[in-house]
Amino acid sequence: MGQVGWKGLCLSLFDYKTEKYVIAKNKKVGILYRVVQLSILVYLVGWVFVVKKGYQDSDTSIQSSVITKLKGVAFTNTSELGERLWDVADYVIPPQGENVFFIMTNLIVTPKQKQDTCPESTGIPDAQCFKNRDCPAGEAVIAGNGVKTGRCLKVGSNSSGTCEILAWCPVEKKSKPKKPLLAKAENFTVYIKNSIRFPKFKFSNRLDNKFAEKSISSGYNFRFAKYYRDGAGVEYRTLIKAYGIRFDVMVNGKAGKFNIIPTIINVGSGLALMGAGAFFCDLVLLYLMKKSNFYRGKKYEEVKSSSRGSLPAGTVNRNQDSELPATPEQLRQLQTVETKG
């Protein structure tokens, strides 16, 4: 690039470009422009304002308080416990709670346990033995109920047996009732009181009820024990393994309220997209059409301010452009007028 080229480039930095509106009688570009405008309008009204509610200010920092309560009774008659009436204090843990509660529907009862030595359960692999050396003293039974004492206990003439352990004896039974003992739990009544609050909008309200989803492992159970002493002061306990239904109350929500600020922002974004649509159509018209050179010549015009060769004020006013240079034809007419004068 020569010196003249660099000079022109530097001087072009001080040029000012103003908009010039050119009406192009081209149906293809006109249809394209209207389609782009319609698409942007549908997006702005349908998605931004109707679906996403862009005219609202939202608050997702919900504050929730859930209190649960259950009513009902059930009756059982088993060999371990005999006849027994179960009420809320027995089969609901905790009887009144927040967010989550558990209803017992079945149980395995091991009554009158005390700390003593007894055979480990036959269903535990680590407790299987043939000789005393298979039960090292002081070693805990893997997945078992106690600590090995060093003795292998056999029943009758069996060649194998189970290790003797120091534990709460007798150990827990492994078989559970085929039918739920507390099947009447399906008739119990659950009360859920839920209050919510959106602090941003100072709004509080709603009563909701949503039960737990499926977990990775089916079912739910846990153990609890009741301790007591007999007349001789020996401590006993009744161990209960409870099966049942776990209810998880999960609360979430979103509140919205009209706000002028997000409305103005979204409207402004839509207008900006309209401008982007016009820019896209300009690119098509000026660079992708067959007559693009013709359209560029009509859209872009260079205007220079120069006193030489300009028309008088009266003639300029008639041409409605005081800064345009005179054409050769206008100069000849001007010379003719001056000669006649």
Side-chain angles (χ1 to χ4, degrees), residues 161-215:
T162 56
C163 295
E164 183 184 59
I165 59 172
L166 175 63
W168 285 95
C169 298
V171 296
E172 177 188 14
K173 298 179 180 179
K174 293 299 179 182
S175 61
K176 63 180 178 180
K178 296 182 179 180
K179 295 183 179 180
L181 296 179
L182 299 176
K184 294 296 182 180
E186 63 183 9
N187 299 323
F188 296 165
T189 303
V190 179
Y191 297 92
I192 301 177
K193 184 177 181 181
N194 177 28
S195 61
I196 60 171
R197 180 174 180 266
F198 290 94
K200 186 174 182 179
F201 300 136
K202 299 181 180 179
F203 173 82
S204 59
N205 199 354
R206 286 185 205 163
L207 179 65
D208 195 10
N209 190 347
K210 183 178 180 181
F211 296 103
E213 299 179 356
K214 294 182 179 179
S215 60

Side-chain angles (χ1 to χ4, degrees), residues 119-120 122 125 127-132 134-135 151-163:
E120 178 61 281
T122 56
Q128 305 295 324
C129 63
F130 294 92
K131 299 179 181 179
N132 290 339
D134 296 331
C135 304
R151 297 178 59 192
C152 180
L153 303 179
K154 302 178 182 179
V155 178
S157 59
N158 293 336
S159 59
S160 64
T162 56
C163 295

Side-chain angles (χ1 to χ4, degrees), residues 190-322:
V190 179
Y191 297 92
I192 301 177
K193 184 177 181 181
N194 177 28
S195 61
I196 60 171
R197 180 174 180 266
F198 290 94
K200 186 174 182 179
F201 300 136
K202 299 181 180 179
F203 173 82
S204 59
N205 199 354
R206 286 185 205 163
L207 179 65
D208 195 10
N209 190 347
K210 183 178 180 181
F211 296 103
E213 299 179 356
K214 294 182 179 179
S215 60
I216 298 177
S217 60
S218 60
Y220 183 80
N221 65 81
F222 70 98
R223 296 174 178 84
F224 66 96
K226 296 184 178 180
Y227 298 85
Y228 58 93
R229 295 178 183 273
D230 62 7
V234 180
E235 183 180 16
Y236 292 90
R237 77 170 185 180
T238 299
L239 177 65
I240 299 177
K241 183 178 182 181
Y243 296 84
I245 303 171
R246 176 189 172 102
F247 291 86
D248 286 301
V249 182
M250 309 297 294
V251 180
N252 55 58
K254 180 179 180 180
K257 184 179 180 181
F258 176 78
N259 194 309
I260 190 62
I261 295 178
T263 303
I264 293 176
I265 292 175
N266 286 300
V267 170
S269 300
L271 295 178
L273 287 176
M274 289 291 186
F279 176 75
F280 172 73
C281 292
D282 278 352
L283 293 179
V284 174
L285 183 67
L286 301 178
Y287 298 100
L288 301 179
M289 303 295 294
K290 291 183 178 180
K291 297 182 179 180
S292 59
N293 293 329
F294 170 76
Y295 289 120
R296 282 202 300 271
K298 293 296 183 180
K299 182 174 177 64
Y300 300 110
E301 181 177 356
E302 183 177 344
V303 179
K304 295 182 179 180
S305 177
S306 176
S307 59
R308 185 177 64 181
S310 61
L311 294 175
T315 306
V316 172
N317 289 335
R318 286 194 298 270
N319 290 325
Q320 296 180 353
D321 194 343
S322 61

